[in-house]
């Protein structure tokens, strides 16, 4: 059967598909969207990336033999899952395997913001380091600070465990309410925003979470607070974040995701107090290889007529 892969994947997972006789077409990294969709229209299975927008009108252009879209990501807000279910196409994702890598990236951003790592590196490299000074680039301690987690799923929990090791007090808010197995206080959204020294976003992107953080919420935050986004860019209003940072309404922001990737709002790029990473949350060799293996497993299961273990929809 024909499998179209949106971009080359790390590791050798795709060999398992060719090994059992499937025809695998891996698109060139510089391919256009049209080229991808043209190839995908002939496919029995597609491996998509979070950057592929597979909305209803695009899905309508795909062939009737398509059985699965295996998204190479845990988030699948780029796919119209309801439309896929209507057309009896499975959608699968890659949960769990990227939890630790993404939680590590979150802590990387927390530390870089709290300790002003980008400014420090720039000062040294620009030849502006003229010797130790008691007041040189002072950051903020993590110990004793409140880490507010918005959206306490697997990644949120992994971040909480890491933050505890740094002596932070964890509090959280999640729309589904208190999670009984967790020792941390569940607080209202407003309390979380107001009380957090570090506010870390871990909610999926939905119509309810789009622009959940904007001018009003940023104004409610402590002046010394840091906001971290390793979830999805549109959860924060990027322009309003840039304006808050420029006016020093909050201390710092650490973002691994952006509203219109790969575009980053020019106002945000100008902010001295923003640490900006190019969506590398899950970007480790081990994690990306494992994601490829899971994606291939899902395809094998779907093409075998089974429901993939990591299907996010039902098609019966
Ligand atoms: C995901 O899988 O949703 C991540 O954003 C990828 O890094």
């Amino acid at each position: 059967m024909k499998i179209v892969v949106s971009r080359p994947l790390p590791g050798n997972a795709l060999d398992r598909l060719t090994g059992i006789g499937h025809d695998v077409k891996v698109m060139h990294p510089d391919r256009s969207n049209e080229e991808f969709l043209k190839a995908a229209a002939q496919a029995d299975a597609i491996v998509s990336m979070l950057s592929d927008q597979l909305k209803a009108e695009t899905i309508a252009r795909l062939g009737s033999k398509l059985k699965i879209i295996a998204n190479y990501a845990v988030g699948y807000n780029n796919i119209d899952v309801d439309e896929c279910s209507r057309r009896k196409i499975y959608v699968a994702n890659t949960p769990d395997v990227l939890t630790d890598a993404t939680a590590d990236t979150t802590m990387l951003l927390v530390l870089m913001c709290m300790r002003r790592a980008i400014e420090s590196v720039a000062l040294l490299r620009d030849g502006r380091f003229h010797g130790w000074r008691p007041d040189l680039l002072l950051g903020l301690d993590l110990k004793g600070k409140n880490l507010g987690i918005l959206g306490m799923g697997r990644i949120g929990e992994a971040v909480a465990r890491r933050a505890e090791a740094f002596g932070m007090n964890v509090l959280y808010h999640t729309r589904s309410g208190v999670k009984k197995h967790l020792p941390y206080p569940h607080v209202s959204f407003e309390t979380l925003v107001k009380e957090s020294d570090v506010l870390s976003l871990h909610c999926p992107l939905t119509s309810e979470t789009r622009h959940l953080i904007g001018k009003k919420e940023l104004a409610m935050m402590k002046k010394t607070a840091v906001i971290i986004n390793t979830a999805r860019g549109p959860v924060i209003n990027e322009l309003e974040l840039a304006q808050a940072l420029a006016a020093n309404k909050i201390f710092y922001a650490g973002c691994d995701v952006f509203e219109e990737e790969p575009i980053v709002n020019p106002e945000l790029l100008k902010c001295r107090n923003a640490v900006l990473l190019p969506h590398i949350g899950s970007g480790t060799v081990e994690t990306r290889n494992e994601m490829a293996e899971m994606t291939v497993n899902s395809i094998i299961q779907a093409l075998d007529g089974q429901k993939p273990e990591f299907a996010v929809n039902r098609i019966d």
Side-chain angles (χ1 to χ4, degrees):
M1 288 197 229
K2 188 159 183 70
I3 297 152
V4 172
V5 184
S6 164
R7 287 185 183 278
L9 301 184
N12 304 319
L14 295 175
D15 294 351
R16 285 199 284 133
L17 294 172
T18 43
I20 52 176
H22 291 306
D23 169 14
V24 178
K25 179 174 175 61
V26 180
M27 301 304 294
H28 190 275
D30 296 333
R31 51 80 177 169
S32 68
N33 195 38
E34 265 315 300
E35 284 164 335
F36 168 56
L37 292 178
K38 198 167 161 209
Q42 312 300 322
D44 299 275
I46 296 172
V47 178
S48 58
M49 306 292 131
L50 51 86
S51 46
D52 297 317
Q53 293 303 319
L54 297 172
K55 302 301 180 199
E57 56 283 9
T58 309
I59 292 165
R61 291 175 54 190
L62 302 173
S64 56
K65 61 183 185 149
L66 183 64
K67 295 188 181 52
I68 177 166
I69 300 176
N71 207 40
Y72 184 72
V74 64
Y76 48 89
N77 54 288
N78 55 311
I79 302 176
D80 187 329
V81 177
D82 290 341
E83 182 64 18
C84 288
S85 305
R86 264 194 294 282
R87 292 175 181 269
K88 302 213 175 307
I89 302 166
Y90 280 120
V91 177
N93 69 342
T94 61
D96 291 330
V97 285
L98 43 69
T99 298
D100 287 315
T102 309
D104 289 349
T105 303
T106 304
M107 291 312 294
L108 171 72
L109 284 170
V110 172
L111 286 162
M112 288 179 84
C113 290
M114 295 289 268
R115 299 304 300 270
R116 303 173 64 182
I118 298 285
E119 289 177 89
S120 301
V121 170
L123 175 126
L124 185 139
R125 286 190 176 272
D126 296 350
R128 291 182 282 121
F129 177 42
H130 304 303
W132 189 89
R133 269 185 14 211
D135 60 349
L136 184 63
L137 283 163
L138 299 187
L140 297 169
D141 278 339
L142 273 66
K143 189 168 172 213
K145 298 285 165 56
N146 291 340
L147 172 77
I149 297 186
L150 184 62
M152 194 55 130
R154 283 175 286 248
I155 297 173
E157 287 191 34
V159 170
R161 286 193 294 276
R162 283 158 175 76
E164 278 193 298
F166 282 94
M168 300 186 84
N169 312 312
V170 175
L171 51 157
Y172 72 101
H173 175 80
T174 180
R175 290 166 60 84
S176 51
V178 180
K179 293 192 137 191
K180 290 205 176 68
H181 66 285
L182 293 178
Y184 319 117
H186 180 272
V187 297
S188 68
F189 174 67
E190 194 174 316
T191 303
L192 191 87
V193 171
K194 283 185 174 159
E195 297 301 320
S196 295
D197 296 295
V198 176
L199 177 61
S200 193
L201 310 182
H202 299 287
C203 51
L205 174 63
T206 63
S207 47
E208 281 95 38
T209 62
R210 183 174 293 273
H211 286 184
L212 193 58
I213 304 290
K215 190 175 176 179
K216 176 169 156 241
E217 293 71 27
L218 292 159
M220 280 157 54
M221 290 177 70
K222 297 181 185 180
K223 227 177 161 235
T224 50
V226 162
I227 188 163
I228 304 292
N229 191 3
T230 55
R232 284 292 180 263
V235 177
I236 304 187
N237 182 320
E238 209 165 288
L239 177 62
E240 292 177 5
L241 173 66
Q243 288 164 344
L245 288 167
N248 292 312
K249 295 237 161 37
I250 59 171
F251 182 58
Y252 244 89
C255 302
D256 183 47
V257 288
F258 303 93
E259 274 198 78
E260 303 282 348
E261 291 178 20
I263 297 164
V264 179
N265 190 300
E267 294 306 312
L268 189 59
L269 283 170
K270 282 190 214 153
C271 292
R272 163 202 60 81
N273 45 356
V275 179
L276 309 173
L277 300 179
H279 205 149
I280 55 160
S282 63
T284 67
V285 172
E286 297 87 344
T287 299
R288 292 283 166 87
N289 284 350
E290 196 51 41
M291 287 165 70
E293 297 293 342
M294 284 173 82
T295 304
V296 165
N297 289 347
S298 293
I299 289 179
I300 291 174
Q301 288 160 359
L303 295 185
D304 258 7
Q306 303 163 38
K307 178 176 185 206
E309 185 182 353
F310 297 109
V312 300
N313 63 340
R314 295 168 58 106
I315 62 168
D316 43 352

